[in-house]
Amino acid sequence: MIGGNESCSAGPIPMSYLTCLTYILGEWTGVEHIEDYLSYAVYLLWVLFPLAVLFLLPGVLVILFYISILLLHIYKRKNELKQAYSNDFGDGAKQMVATLWDVHGRIWHGYELHGVENIPEGPGLIVIYHGPTPADILYFIARLLTQTKRYCHVVADHFVFRLPGFKILLDVHGVMHGPKEECVNALKKGRLIGIAPGGVREALFSDETYTIIWGKRQGFAQVAIDAKVPIIPMFTQNVREGVRTLGGIRILRSLYERIRLPIVPMYGGFPVKLRTFIGEPIPYEPNITAEELTAKTKAALQALIEKHQKIPGNIFRALMERFQTQKKED
């Protein structure tokens, strides 16, 4: 034992302490040749570390969400002499959170927004292809607000309203549950609303072919007809290359259809190039049916995908586009 202690203090520093630690662990556990097991453990850690990082990086978005929530609580306390959730509080809070997300989009994805001129001055329903996460939608909302001072309210899935701590964030940004009457009333008040008809199902189970998964959903089209507003298609290039899902595993799809919770694992968080493209508006037609307008909107969104996305998507190509200086034309 004395020899082991002498080794810890007298030998070369890197090897002596490792030898001492191995000796102590061997004595404590009673396992012979424990250094072989430790070497194997270090090897496994070295091999699995990149894989662990791939699954942990998407958690950065969750951290950003809660940073936004923390900032809103601080901002609310700072303005607590004003009426809670007054216009002054809401406007300032939106600008603050928009700045946070816009900076993240610029730094991590070199985010670009094209076709803002296609958004009408009055109300409109923006129909969005849903990526694996809502990050591109948040970047779009932030850039639109900072550039044009216009705000786009979004319709979110019901599970979002059950997330812990999210109430203040949802209230400030006017995130909507999505009943048709609520959406129609908001549009009639002149608001801009964003909706992804594919929802969580499209987010989790579409893939690098960018398949639109709407099923038989036509409610958004009926909302546009009832409110007499145009529909504006929106697509973000490379949105499925930044984060990938394991939605191709059949058992996970079956599990989602049973419990309707987004528990499909994701990996990635790559700094790929993201460009959001706003298509030309589909004007209101009094005699069109919801089924016809749905088909027309889907065709317009598919055209945006085919024009701006190389299919199948490729993570390496999307990463290279991030560092190209030449912008892709609209």
Side-chain angles (χ1 to χ4, degrees):
M1 187 66 180
I2 295 174
N5 287 336
E6 289 176 351
S7 161
C8 290
S9 59
I13 292 176
M15 183 60 81
S16 61
Y17 279 99
L18 181 60
T19 303
C20 182
L21 177 61
T22 303
Y23 177 82
I24 293 171
L25 286 175
E27 290 289 313
W28 181 54
T29 60
V31 177
E32 296 183 1
H33 307 296
I34 195 170
E35 63 274 7
D36 294 335
Y37 295 98
L38 289 175
S39 298
Y40 184 65
V42 170
Y43 172 75
L44 280 180
L45 181 63
W46 179 78
V47 171
L48 296 177
F49 179 75
L51 186 62
V53 170
L54 284 180
F55 283 93
L56 290 174
L57 273 178
V60 172
L61 294 177
V62 178
I63 294 172
L64 276 177
F65 274 119
Y66 280 100
I67 289 175
S68 302
I69 291 168
L70 177 61
L71 290 176
L72 287 175
H73 279 291
I74 294 172
Y75 192 87
K76 182 183 176 183
R77 293 293 176 267
K78 182 180 177 182
N79 293 271
E80 61 185 0
L81 294 179
K82 299 178 181 179
Q83 182 180 359
Y85 299 97
S86 66
N87 290 336
D88 290 339
F89 170 75
D91 292 343
K94 287 176 186 176
Q95 289 284 351
M96 177 182 62
V97 175
T99 300
L100 172 67
W101 283 92
D102 191 47
V103 168
H104 183 268
R106 288 176 186 271
I107 293 175
W108 195 246
H109 294 291
Y111 180 75
E112 298 175 12
L113 176 59
H114 300 267
V116 177
E117 65 279 2
N118 289 326
I119 299 177
E121 294 183 1
L125 186 65
I126 299 180
V127 175
I128 306 164
Y129 171 82
H130 204 315
T133 72
D136 63 306
I137 301 174
L138 296 169
Y139 296 148
F140 159 71
I141 292 172
R143 184 64 58 84
L144 184 69
L145 183 61
T146 55
Q147 280 190 354
T148 68
K149 306 304 178 184
R150 292 199 66 186
Y151 190 77
C152 178
H153 298 264
V154 295
V155 178
D157 193 275
H158 295 294
F159 87 90
V160 174
F161 295 87
R162 300 197 295 268
L163 293 174
F166 267 58
K167 186 178 187 304
I168 187 172
L169 187 65
L170 301 174
D171 287 347
V172 166
H173 289 283
V175 178
M176 305 166 67
H177 282 277
K180 294 179 184 178
E181 296 77 12
E182 183 183 1
C183 293
V184 171
N185 290 335
L187 289 167
K188 287 183 176 179
K189 291 178 182 177
R191 294 178 181 174
L192 196 63
I193 294 180
I195 185 170
V200 176
R201 187 176 284 104
E202 185 172 82
L204 298 179
F205 304 112
S206 185
D207 54 24
E208 63 271 17
T209 62
Y210 289 80
T211 305
I212 297 174
I213 304 176
W214 287 1
K216 297 181 179 180
R217 293 183 177 179
Q218 302 177 8
F220 73 92
Q222 191 61 54
V223 165
I225 292 171
D226 292 345
K228 300 180 181 180
V229 298
I231 286 178
I232 308 101
M234 185 183 108
F235 170 72
T236 300
Q237 181 189 61
N238 295 326
V239 69
R240 303 207 74 90
E241 314 318 313
V243 175
R244 289 281 177 88
T245 72
L246 299 181
I249 300 176
R250 185 173 299 179
I251 191 173
L252 294 178
R253 178 68 179 266
S254 300
L255 185 60
Y256 170 77
E257 298 298 344
R258 283 178 175 272
I259 65 176
R260 296 300 177 89
L261 289 176
I263 59 173
V264 175
M266 298 182 180
Y267 66 93
F270 306 112
V272 301
K273 184 67 176 181
L274 294 183
R275 296 184 179 95
T276 293
F277 294 93
I278 309 296
E280 294 183 2
I282 302 171
Y284 164 70
E285 298 178 29
N287 298 321
I288 198 170
T289 66
E291 183 178 0
E292 292 170 339
L293 185 55
T294 299
K296 200 170 184 179
T297 304
K298 188 174 183 179
L301 188 57
Q302 186 65 50
L304 273 182
I305 295 172
E306 292 175 358
K307 181 178 180 180
H308 299 293
Q309 182 66 52
K310 293 180 180 179
I311 297 176
N314 182 279
I315 294 174
F316 180 75
R317 182 176 62 232
L319 284 169
M320 292 300 99
E321 291 175 0
R322 170 68 180 87
F323 301 104
Q324 292 174 356
T325 56
Q326 183 179 2
K327 295 181 179 180
K328 185 172 181 177
E329 296 182 358
D330 295 356

